[in-house]
């Protein structure tokens, strides 16, 4: 969160490591200048709002990152200091977005951060992240709680998950 932490970004830049393949997690110390550089390089920022808040008392300046055009994903850091799953992290991000950011992100954008956006960050977009012929059949089916499918996923909690399919194989679900 301090200048020493921000200066670690300069180390990336000075060692030619600020590249499109870079996936930077947290980024709490970064500001508009660093986010502009990340956007220019095509790098990704993983936003972990609950972990950020628990560890640092604030989150990355996700509004500045979005304004700069940084590719954004959303994921929990690890369960000891954050959410236990992307489903839970979606709720934290949505609450932060509503209460602190003035609803900067649409429901679609939040869901995209944990689906196709995450696949793009790892350069796996040809294989996963969307429901497209020829991609791995990784799907989750949740109870219908809301007419908006993106809001439905954001609002879903663990018991609402009715089926999980990975690579076309049902791994969890109700008969």
């Amino acid at each position: 969160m301090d200048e020493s932490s921000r200066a670690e970004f300069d180390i990336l830049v000075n060692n030619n490591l600020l590249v499109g393949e870079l996936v930077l997690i947290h980024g709490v110390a970064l500001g508009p200048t660093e986010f502009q550089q990340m956007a220019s390089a095509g790098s990704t920022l993983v936003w972990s709002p609950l972990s950020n808040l628990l560890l640092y008392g604030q989150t990355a300046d996700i509004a500045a990152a979005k304004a700069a055009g940084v590719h954004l994903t959303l994921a929990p850091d690890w369960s000891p200091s954050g959410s236990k799953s992307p489903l839970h992290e979606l709720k934290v991000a949505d609450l932060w977005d509503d209460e602190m950011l003035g609803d900067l992100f649409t429901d679609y954008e939040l869901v995209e951060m944990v689906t196709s956006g995450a696949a793009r960050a790892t350069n796996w977009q040809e294989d996963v992240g969307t429901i497209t012929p020829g991609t791995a059949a990784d799907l989750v089916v949740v109870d219908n709680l809301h007419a908006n499918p993106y809001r439905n996923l954001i609002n879903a909690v663990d018991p609402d998950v009715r089926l999980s399919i990975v690579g076309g194989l049902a791994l969890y679900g109700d008969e």
Side-chain angles (χ1 to χ4, degrees):
M1 296 177 357
D2 55 17
E3 176 54 26
S4 173
S5 297
R6 198 226 42 85
E8 291 182 20
F9 184 84
D10 295 337
I11 295 170
L12 289 172
V13 173
N14 293 336
N15 286 283
N16 299 316
L17 297 173
L18 183 59
V19 294
E21 296 84 5
L22 177 69
V23 178
L24 196 144
I25 302 171
H26 297 302
V28 176
L30 305 182
T33 300
E34 292 80 18
F35 292 135
Q36 286 289 340
Q37 291 174 282
M38 286 182 69
S40 293
S43 301
T44 297
L45 175 67
V46 178
W47 185 33
S48 302
L50 182 58
S51 183
N52 290 172
L53 290 166
L54 292 174
L55 292 173
Y56 311 117
Q58 64 188 47
T59 77
D61 187 350
I62 201 71
K66 182 180 182 184
V70 173
H71 178 248
L72 303 172
T73 65
L74 174 67
D77 179 19
W78 64 321
S79 55
S81 69
S83 300
K84 69 178 186 175
S85 76
L87 192 62
H88 295 166
E89 201 70 18
L90 267 171
K91 284 149 197 50
V92 176
D94 181 56
L95 180 64
W96 189 262
D97 181 47
D98 289 347
E99 299 296 322
M100 304 304 289
L101 301 176
D103 205 24
L104 180 66
F105 295 99
T106 66
D107 293 346
Y108 175 83
E109 288 173 315
L110 288 172
V111 170
E112 184 180 43
M113 286 185 206
V114 298
T115 57
S116 60
R120 181 177 148 211
T122 57
N123 202 25
W124 287 3
Q125 66 271 16
E126 300 300 319
D127 301 308
V128 297
T130 59
I131 303 172
T132 307
T135 62
D138 294 345
L139 304 167
V140 64
V141 177
V142 297
D143 279 336
N144 188 15
L145 308 169
H146 197 283
N148 174 335
Y150 306 108
R151 173 59 36 196
N152 194 61
L153 186 63
I154 293 167
N155 288 352
V157 293
D158 294 352
D160 298 322
V161 175
R162 294 295 172 217
L163 177 64
S164 292
I165 300 173
V166 177
L169 300 173
L171 298 182
Y172 168 85
D174 296 339
E175 277 188 33

